[in-house]
Amino acid sequence: MDLSHDDFLYKAFLAANDGGHIFPEHAACEAALESGWGQSKLAIEGNNLFGQKQSHPPIKGTQTLALPTEEYLKKQWVTVPANWVKFSRWGDCFRARMELLERLSDGYPHYAAALAATTGEDFTREVSVSWSTDPQRAAKVVAIHSAHQATLRRRINGEQSEAAGVKVSRGATL
């Protein structure tokens, strides 16, 4: 897939909304960061836009991909092996991600806070604390959103006026 950044964000927004994400605009920006704008091997081969690791037993209806990853451990980046979820489509990836956050929210207070957030930026800050080892993840996602928000919202609003009645999650702009 070779989409422009704005095309990627719009496609990811639609998939996030379809997958029931509570802040689909910000989720699209998270996906851009996590997947290298859809160009990572994990995104291309596994429709996995968040680097979601496979569960044991595996998530029903999914396969597993074994690929290396970069993790920020002990103040340095290191390469480690990992098993990842292979999704059939992007909407499934966003849906599984929300289900994972809900399932783990009792044990991860930042996931609970993210799910209770009232803005996409607050969601991003909270979820990033536990989702990633990158200490700059939230700032990077917010920067992507700031840089592309106007274009993304124009596309969302244009699409909404053409297809009235489409249900959009609480974090989306109409």
Side-chain angles (χ1 to χ4, degrees):
M1 164 186 2
D2 193 15
L3 300 173
S4 73
H5 287 179
D6 290 325
D7 288 341
F8 174 88
L9 287 175
Y10 184 62
K11 182 180 176 186
F13 165 83
L14 293 174
N17 194 58
D18 179 56
H21 201 287
I22 58 176
F23 294 101
E25 282 184 40
H26 284 78
C29 296
E30 287 182 279
L33 177 68
E34 295 283 345
S35 71
W37 296 93
Q39 297 303 303
S40 72
K41 189 171 184 175
L42 184 58
I44 293 167
E45 292 183 17
N47 288 312
N48 188 330
L49 302 174
F50 291 100
Q52 186 169 334
K53 293 179 180 167
Q54 185 61 279
S55 305
H56 299 287
I59 296 172
K60 186 177 180 178
T62 67
Q63 296 176 340
T64 302
L65 288 173
L67 298 170
T69 185
E70 295 289 316
E71 299 283 352
Y72 191 74
L73 303 170
K74 298 182 183 177
K75 299 186 180 185
Q76 64 181 350
W77 288 101
V78 295
T79 302
V80 297
N83 290 323
W84 308 95
V85 183
K86 181 177 180 179
F87 296 103
S88 59
R89 59 187 196 92
W90 285 11
D92 295 339
C93 172
F94 284 98
R95 182 172 292 106
R97 200 285 183 107
M98 287 302 298
E99 290 170 357
L100 180 67
L101 295 177
E102 290 168 3
R103 190 171 57 253
L104 297 178
S105 64
D106 286 341
Y108 290 81
H110 291 286
Y111 291 170
L115 294 171
T118 58
T119 69
E121 196 167 311
D122 288 343
F123 173 89
T124 300
R125 275 195 215 97
E126 290 294 341
V127 78
S128 293
V129 173
S130 297
W131 188 263
S132 172
T133 59
D134 181 351
Q136 298 301 313
R137 182 186 188 275
K140 291 174 184 177
V141 171
V142 169
I144 291 169
H145 185 263
S146 294
H148 296 274
Q149 156 183 358
T151 301
L152 180 57
R153 288 186 179 174
R154 272 195 303 277
R155 288 186 75 178
I156 293 166
N157 290 332
E159 192 71 26
Q160 290 302 314
S161 61
E162 290 177 18
V166 173
K167 183 180 177 198
V168 178
S169 299
R170 74 174 172 184
T173 303
L174 297 176

